[in-house]
Amino acid sequence: MTEPLIQLDRVSRTYTTPAGTITAVDDVSLSLGESETICIVGESGCGKTTTGRMLAGLLRPSSGRLLFEGADVWEKKGQDLARFRRAVQLVHQDPYASLNPTRTIAQTLAPPLAKHKKAHGRAARAAMISLLERVGLTPPTDFLLKYPHQLSGGQRQRVSIARALTVDPRVIVADEAVSMVDVSIRISLLDLLHNLATEFHVTTVLITHDLAVARYFGRIGRVAVMYLGKVVELANTEALVSDPAHPYSTALIAAIPEADPTITRTKKRVALKGAEVPSLLNLPPGCVFHPRCPLFEPGLCDVLVPQLGDLPGGRSVACHVALRERQPAAELLGVR
Amino acid sequence: MTTLATTARRRDMALPGPLASAFEFLRMMSKKPVGLIGLIGVLFFLFLAYVAPLIVPLQDQVDVTAIYAKPSWAHPLGTDFQGRDVVNQIVYGGGDIITTAILAALFSTLIAITFGSIAATVGGRLDALILAITDVALTIPQLILLIVIAAIFRPSSFFALAVILALLQWPALLRQIRAQVLSLKERDFVEAARSLDLGLLHIIFREMLPNMRSYIVIHFIIAMTLAIYAQAAIMFLGLVPLSGKNWAIMLYFAYNQGALFFRDSFFYLMGPIMAIALFQLSLVWLASGLEDVFNPRLRS
Amino acid sequence: MPVLSVRDLSIEYRTRRGPVQAVRDVTFDLEQGETIAIIGESGSGKTTLAVGLIRLSPRSARVTKGEIRYDDGKRAFDVLSLDAERLRRFRWADCAMVFQAALSAFNPVITIWEQFLDTGRAHGMSDKHKVHDRTRELLDLVHLDPKRVLTAYPHELSGGMRQRVLIAMALLLDPRIVILDEPTTALDILTQRAIIDLLRDLRARLGFSTIFISHDLSIAAELADRMLTMYAGRIVERASVEDLFYRPRHPYSVGLMRAVPRVSGALGSVASIPGSPPDLIRLPRGCSYYPRCPFHVEQCLEEDPPLLQVDTPQHEAACIRWEAVAAALGSDAEAPVAEKLA
């Protein structure tokens, strides 16, 4: 296994409010290699956006480290830090807010090209055209003089991606980048992001609440499922979707409404006890999922916090019961 | 596919810039007649103040036989206390006042933008300091302060006068700029600019400022009106060394030379008053019309 | 006898650039107890249609033609011809609307109880106690604790809870028809599941007819009996839910089916629809889907195709090439579209 490109090493992020301390992200570790595609999925409040922003270096962890090429990012200074900033880019969710409304597309793409590639005038224009082609905006010359309000949501997202690409990033974090885009063009945007990884060796992280999107995007990669600030399962996407290990993942996959009447009306649902998600101010003891968990074992789950343990097949899960059930042979043999 | 001209023809609104956009600008202004009248008025007075003096020769000779003459073809608004033509004085009287007003507005805008942006981006104690100074400046009665300063410093050049006037007007715009920058700071495209390591100056001047154009332009115009009032006030009160010709000085002389008491000198008194008033009105109407042009929600 | 009959409904907006034909010649029936899903994306006109059905459109919108016939067996009238007073009685008592559960659907400075009271009073329920009893009854039906919810302000409730409140509010006067605009968009997966199950349950218990407006195909798959797909202001296909999912005949419907990835089963060949929706101010001549359609021919540019019957009488598609579409999909009637095109 080659050296990971970017890593979150036991990071946490807490906020102090008058009402108490909120732990948005709790002890999360993630290692990403070059050209990898990975999704972070979860429902609202699970900490996936916070994790993504910490990965992009836009938010400082309250504890733990962010490592890029082995070095602690928040210890970097000057040129070194600037290089990191350019190496990891974020693509935002809202296509209407991610571009400056008073600037044409050319005026949006020009500054990073001028500053970092020293490209001006004709050279810059050529670079812009090539970038716009790469993100599928053709013919590129049509778009250069347009303002964001003259483009559709999907086109704006492509411009955002093009802008991110002006600095040749090594990592792109797409924060719900397709959620506000029309259904019929999501796939093409996801394909674009996917290509960046496979053809251009950009590590791509997609944060989403939509498991179907995650499955499509991460089909050759991994997915991390988060709940209340913790990663509860980390596995290859196809493995997770066909055979989820954590009861929360199981419930999520079972709950998804599918765009297929026969499947969705006959799918077996997993009943969770209690519909309400606990407040981040008042997390349950032990495993944070235990109040709703169908596999709950008193004395174990409400006392001991489960850690991410490895299972065969390159997956890990943070559940006492799942780990025990799926690894009996290893336990018996004392191999661990 | 589309060039800017085609865009203008198709009437897709792009923000002011090249010729096609100027066309678009005029079209939007014409939707609200007040704005268009204001624009015409302002252009008229600018022409009168800067271009007309190049055409009409200055009539500076004292003519004792024509003191306070009645309006006639030779002198459409009569003459002043030294027999000089009033219309001529109005033509020559605008330039100084308007130039000073423009300079004052320019200075106050620059101060407000600079310190407003710094306060919002740096934050912390510097922000608190700038705000405190602004609040103090806002609460001091402006005209009185101006009178006091003018009386003490007796500015003799228009530049100096402009600087003094500017010092009294920056507080309002500074607060607005600061508030805008604070909110724009959090926007996604500004965050993207930070990630792309484009530098603080670029972010302020290229990303945020263009989004505040409406505030800045409208403030500029209103600052001009305030500067003109202030000038009229201190010159009328005789607090400034009276060199040169301008409408305010005309007022001073008219008043002090008894134009109030003669029927025939009516226009000598009212001429400069109307000139100032109409110019102010044009400015205010122009600002009102521009408000609509800049409001993105009123566009298609 | 259908409880709602819409015929040739057309709505246009005035904008600076010219009139926008947001809804064009929409015709459909809603039978008693039936659930219809109207699926479309941005620019399809579905939201304009939804608010237009109860005449809640903004001032800049105008109904240029058509009729909306309501008939519950006892009364029958054209909704478009109602005066203000009768319209107010029609709304909520006969036909209610559930908006998307964003915070903007609520008055932020009053409690939930006060919103119920306001709604009740606005539609003729003057007795405060009656409103209170009915509210409690409805909150129980939607599985919310009245004690907790009634005294709360909108921002204190989660998205799922707000959606339930909106559903309860819509049922206040026991309407025959409930229109829901994007009921599960922006909700989490588990919350979506809960809302979908709730709607199914309520429909079974109370027997109202439902119209869903959404861009989300899965809610149609879950709850709809029949579906309509809208594109550029027109209905382009009308069919039962199985027919539309497994045997679509309009290229746009086919494109939509292909564009939605699934979690269960094989991925199939998922693909986006190239291009973007047309400019509704300057609609091109002929079929508005032409530029994005893989099945188009010259003839498609001649005129906007009417809804033609395909396969069965209940299945219609506005496409002159529907037979080619059918052929491309093959004869396997039950497999999903993405697999057929893989």
Side-chain angles (χ1 to χ4, degrees):
Chain A
M1 175 69 165
T2 47
E3 171 89 12
L5 179 63
I6 186 167
Q7 282 173 280
L8 284 172
D9 181 26
R10 308 200 60 171
V11 301
S12 299
R13 173 77 193 185
T14 53
Y15 296 95
T16 22
T17 68
T21 314
I22 294 182
T23 312
V25 175
D26 188 9
D27 198 17
V28 161
S29 299
L30 213 53
S31 269
L32 306 178
E34 202 178 300
S35 311
E36 192 178 336
T37 55
I38 183 168
C39 284
I40 304 179
V41 300
E43 300 185 292
S44 53
C46 72
K48 57 192 192 298
T49 299
T50 311
T51 304
R53 293 175 68 84
M54 283 197 286
L55 202 56
L58 293 168
L59 202 57
R60 185 168 184 161
S62 313
S63 69
R65 303 182 300 162
L66 171 67
L67 301 167
F68 182 67
E69 292 176 326
D72 188 335
V73 169
W74 291 97
E75 302 281 308
K76 291 182 193 254
K77 298 199 197 312
Q79 283 295 355
D80 220 17
L81 180 59
R83 249 188 345 109
F84 166 76
R85 287 250 167 276
R86 297 198 294 272
V88 183
Q89 291 293 316
L90 190 81
V91 176
H92 295 91
Q93 172 178 17
D94 185 352
Y96 298 87
S98 55
L99 298 176
N100 190 332
T102 59
R103 293 250 157 279
T104 61
I105 306 305
Q107 287 170 322
T108 296
L109 295 176
L113 286 173
K115 178 152 187 202
H116 301 299
K117 301 272 189 62
K118 309 285 184 257
H120 302 274
R122 211 161 293 187
R125 193 184 146 89
M128 284 185 229
I129 288 179
S130 133
L131 273 173
L132 289 177
E133 273 171 350
R134 203 160 123 192
V135 298
L137 287 173
T138 51
T141 42
D142 275 0
F143 290 95
L144 283 176
L145 290 174
K146 288 212 162 135
Y147 285 93
H149 70 266
Q150 295 171 291
L151 302 182
S152 70
Q155 290 169 329
R156 283 183 228 205
Q157 288 298 64
R158 289 173 193 264
V159 173
S160 280
I161 296 172
R163 179 180 57 190
L165 292 175
T166 53
V167 290
D168 293 329
R170 308 279 300 282
V171 182
I172 286 188
V173 178
D175 184 6
E176 299 271 18
V178 296
S179 310
M180 290 180 71
V181 162
D182 270 345
V183 174
S184 64
I185 58 175
R186 278 183 198 176
I187 297 285
S188 58
L189 265 175
L190 291 173
D191 281 341
L192 169 63
L193 285 169
H194 204 257
N195 270 351
L196 292 178
T198 51
E199 280 180 46
F200 300 98
H201 307 297
V202 178
T203 305
T204 320
V205 182
L206 179 66
I207 299 171
T208 178
H209 66 274
D210 187 338
L211 264 178
V213 161
R215 186 212 180 176
Y216 179 73
F217 177 77
R219 60 195 181 281
I220 58 170
R222 296 186 290 162
V223 65
V225 180
M226 288 188 72
Y227 182 73
L228 284 182
K230 297 187 173 34
V231 174
V232 296
E233 187 163 359
L234 179 60
N236 284 326
T237 312
E238 284 302 310
L240 182 92
V241 164
S242 52
D243 179 28
H246 195 284
Y248 177 65
S249 318
T250 314
L252 268 188
I253 291 171
I256 294 181
E258 300 259 30
D260 185 318
T262 313
I263 292 181
T264 208
R265 294 184 196 198
T266 55
K267 213 166 154 185
K268 262 185 47 154
R269 309 289 174 196
V270 172
L272 285 178
K273 306 182 310 198
E276 285 310 305
V277 180
S279 154
L280 283 169
L281 282 166
N282 209 352
L283 291 173
C287 171
V288 291
F289 188 59
H290 84 252
R292 306 169 73 190
C293 184
L295 301 179
F296 168 61
E297 286 185 12
L300 173 62
C301 301
D302 49 0
V303 171
L304 213 54
V305 176
Q307 302 298 326
L308 262 183
D310 293 327
L311 284 177
R315 57 202 298 186
S316 13
V317 66
C319 173
H320 303 298
V321 179
L323 279 171
R324 189 186 64 212
E325 302 295 310
R326 285 172 179 256
Q327 240 189 339
E331 290 281 319
L332 284 172
L333 291 171
V335 176
R336 248 319 221 130
Chain B
M1 196 173 77
T2 47
T3 59
L4 268 178
T6 323
T7 308
R9 261 189 279 123
R10 287 245 237 100
R11 311 208 293 183
D12 274 350
M13 179 66 188
L15 293 160
L19 192 59
S21 314
F23 195 67
E24 197 46 43
F25 172 72
L26 281 174
R27 192 188 70 88
M28 294 206 67
M29 286 293 280
S30 58
K31 298 266 171 172
K32 199 173 175 188
V34 164
L36 202 57
I37 296 175
L39 179 63
I40 294 173
V42 169
L43 289 174
F44 167 73
F45 276 103
L46 288 178
F47 176 84
L48 188 72
Y50 293 114
V51 178
L54 301 172
I55 307 171
V56 176
L58 179 61
Q59 283 176 17
D60 217 6
Q61 286 158 313
V62 176
D63 182 355
V64 193
T65 62
I67 292 179
Y68 289 152
K70 268 215 297 240
S72 63
W73 278 120
H75 302 289
L77 290 179
T79 59
D80 70 352
F81 67 101
Q82 289 191 319
R84 292 174 294 198
D85 180 33
V86 169
V87 171
N88 193 271
Q89 290 188 40
I90 288 191
V91 164
Y92 276 83
D96 289 340
I97 286 201
I98 296 180
T99 310
T100 311
I102 292 177
L103 280 177
L106 192 67
F107 293 154
S108 76
T109 306
L110 283 174
I111 295 174
I113 294 178
T114 311
F115 289 99
S117 314
I118 290 178
T121 44
V122 173
R125 280 196 250 172
L126 189 56
D127 181 25
L129 179 67
I130 293 179
L131 264 186
I133 297 175
T134 310
D135 284 341
V136 167
L138 263 176
T139 51
I140 297 179
Q142 311 245 315
L143 200 55
I144 298 182
L145 182 62
L146 175 65
I147 290 173
V148 168
I149 293 181
I152 296 178
F153 289 100
R154 300 229 155 230
S156 48
S157 76
F158 285 102
F159 189 84
L161 184 57
V163 167
I164 294 175
L165 291 172
L167 284 176
L168 299 175
Q169 285 170 28
W170 54 266
L173 182 64
L174 187 143
R175 283 191 142 257
Q176 269 193 321
I177 298 276
R178 177 180 170 275
Q180 279 290 301
V181 172
L182 277 178
S183 98
L184 284 171
K185 230 173 35 157
E186 307 303 322
R187 298 269 285 267
D188 287 349
F189 64 84
V190 173
E191 186 174 77
R194 276 205 297 263
S195 283
L196 291 167
D197 195 28
L198 293 175
L200 187 62
L201 283 177
H202 168 97
I203 290 178
I204 294 180
F205 287 100
R206 285 307 174 85
E207 302 288 343
M208 298 204 263
L209 230 56
N211 281 289
M212 301 189 272
R213 268 192 269 229
S214 61
Y215 292 104
I216 295 173
V217 171
I218 292 174
H219 164 88
F220 189 90
I221 294 176
I222 304 298
M224 277 181 69
T225 61
L226 294 176
I228 292 176
Y229 279 134
Q231 287 180 74
I234 58 176
M235 287 183 196
F236 182 74
L237 291 175
L239 294 170
V240 179
L242 298 174
S243 58
K245 307 183 124 359
N246 61 55
W247 298 330
I249 290 179
M250 280 174 78
L251 266 179
Y252 172 79
F253 281 123
Y255 185 70
N256 284 313
Q257 298 296 330
L260 258 181
F261 304 109
F262 295 95
R263 240 196 3 215
D264 294 337
S265 57
F266 177 72
F267 288 110
Y268 182 46
L269 193 56
M270 284 309 288
I273 291 179
M274 288 312 292
I276 294 176
L278 286 175
F279 184 54
Q280 299 285 61
L281 190 62
S282 304
L283 282 174
V284 168
W285 274 351
L286 174 63
S288 171
L290 282 178
E291 245 182 346
D292 284 352
V293 170
F294 280 123
N295 186 345
R297 264 176 288 178
L298 293 179
R299 304 207 208 111
S300 56
Chain C
M1 189 68 227
V3 68
L4 199 70
S5 293
V6 179
R7 294 278 175 274
D8 296 320
L9 185 64
S10 302
I11 303 177
E12 75 178 23
Y13 280 107
R14 280 191 317 275
T15 69
R16 283 195 163 205
R17 289 174 54 219
V20 175
Q21 315 259 12
V23 173
R24 300 183 285 144
D25 301 312
V26 164
T27 299
F28 68 91
D29 285 337
L30 177 68
E31 302 285 341
Q32 183 74 271
E34 189 182 30
T35 300
I36 291 189
I38 301 182
I39 301 293
E41 302 181 290
S42 52
S44 61
K46 63 188 195 302
T47 306
T48 309
L49 176 61
V51 295
L53 287 175
I54 51 171
R55 295 177 58 189
L56 266 181
S57 312
R59 291 257 193 93
S60 54
R62 219 167 47 97
V63 175
T64 50
K65 68 175 158 118
E67 73 164 8
I68 302 172
R69 195 148 191 83
Y70 173 81
D71 185 344
D72 63 5
K74 286 178 277 179
R75 297 134 61 224
F77 46 78
D78 181 359
V79 178
L80 293 173
S81 68
L82 292 177
D83 60 39
E85 178 56 39
R86 290 171 66 199
L87 180 63
R88 202 155 54 79
R89 280 187 270 136
F90 168 73
R91 283 195 198 129
W92 240 254
D94 296 317
C95 180
M97 185 142 174
V98 179
F99 295 94
Q100 221 178 321
L103 270 173
S104 52
F106 291 88
N107 182 335
V109 297
I110 59 177
T111 60
I112 300 296
W113 159 238
E114 284 166 318
Q115 318 239 21
F116 272 98
L117 189 58
D118 272 353
T119 309
R121 283 218 182 108
H123 295 283
M125 287 178 80
S126 45
D127 186 346
K128 202 164 155 185
H129 297 289
K130 279 225 182 89
V131 178
H132 192 85
D133 289 337
R134 178 87 181 133
T135 303
R136 292 194 72 115
E137 190 189 323
L138 289 169
L139 286 177
D140 277 331
L141 261 181
V142 300
H143 308 304
L144 282 176
D145 179 4
K147 274 201 309 282
R148 175 152 174 226
V149 167
L150 286 176
T151 50
Y153 286 89
H155 67 270
E156 293 173 342
L157 303 179
S158 69
M161 292 170 85
R162 288 198 294 268
Q163 189 71 77
R164 291 172 198 261
V165 165
L166 284 172
I167 293 174
M169 256 198 262
L171 297 172
L172 204 54
L173 280 89
D174 203 13
R176 289 214 111 78
I177 304 175
V178 180
I179 304 178
L180 296 102
D181 185 13
E182 305 277 9
T184 54
T185 304
L187 292 178
D188 290 328
I189 294 177
L190 292 175
T191 317
Q192 278 189 23
R193 170 53 41 204
I195 297 291
I196 290 174
D197 290 343
L198 174 67
L199 286 170
R200 198 179 265 134
D201 182 41
L202 286 173
R203 190 181 54 178
R205 275 210 228 196
L206 302 174
F208 48 81
S209 318
T210 326
I211 302 179
F212 286 109
I213 313 278
S214 185
H215 65 261
D216 186 354
L217 284 171
S218 52
I219 192 169
E222 287 272 351
L223 293 168
D225 299 315
R226 287 195 302 133
M227 275 173 72
L228 312 171
T229 42
M230 278 187 82
Y231 187 77
R234 288 195 60 205
I235 295 184
V236 295
E237 189 158 1
R238 200 215 305 284
S240 73
V241 87
E242 283 91 20
D243 277 342
L244 203 87
F245 272 97
Y246 301 130
R247 293 172 286 281
R249 295 291 176 245
H250 190 283
Y252 176 63
S253 310
V254 175
L256 264 187
M257 296 301 158
R258 272 191 86 183
V260 181
R262 281 167 307 132
V263 180
S264 318
L267 262 178
S269 77
V270 210
S272 280
I273 305 180
S276 4
D279 182 352
L280 291 173
I281 295 178
R282 267 172 281 271
L283 280 165
R285 192 146 168 268
C287 176
S288 42
Y289 193 62
Y290 180 89
R292 308 171 79 184
C293 182
F295 294 94
H296 69 224
V297 292
E298 279 295 306
Q299 213 188 338
C300 297
L301 285 172
E302 281 171 28
E303 59 158 16
D304 218 356
L307 278 167
L308 305 166
Q309 183 182 318
V310 306
D311 297 353
T312 66
Q314 277 75 41
H315 189 168
E316 295 178 313
C319 179
I320 60 179
R321 297 269 292 147
W322 68 266
E323 280 146 325
V325 178
L329 287 175
S331 56
D332 183 355
E334 293 307 318
V337 172
E339 279 176 27
K340 284 196 264 230
L341 292 170

